[in-house]
Amino acid sequence: MCSRELTLLEAEILRHEAMALADPDRRGEHEEVAAALRQALAALREEIDHAPR
């Protein structure tokens, strides 16, 4: 996974966090998606850190 893809995931997290604030009716859904994306991003970074070089 390249740096650009990680940056896109970070942007998507920020987008869902912003939508959670802007859309009170669907706040929970956006927060859930943002949390899942944060967890996935952390796992990918962990995998990259431990990948053979």
Side-chain angles (χ1 to χ4, degrees):
M1 176 150 295
C2 73
S3 175
R4 171 96 173 120
E5 291 166 321
L6 294 176
T7 301
L8 291 172
L9 281 173
E10 291 169 343
E12 190 66 10
I13 291 167
L14 293 173
R15 187 174 79 84
H16 277 282
E17 290 173 342
M19 287 191 299
L21 296 173
D23 185 0
D25 294 337
R26 298 184 72 191
R27 181 177 181 177
E29 293 173 46
H30 292 299
E31 288 175 342
E32 184 178 354
V33 171
L37 288 170
R38 278 193 298 275
Q39 187 176 12
L41 183 59
L44 286 170
R45 285 185 171 147
E46 183 74 18
E47 187 176 307
I48 289 168
D49 288 346
H50 291 95
R53 302 194 187 237

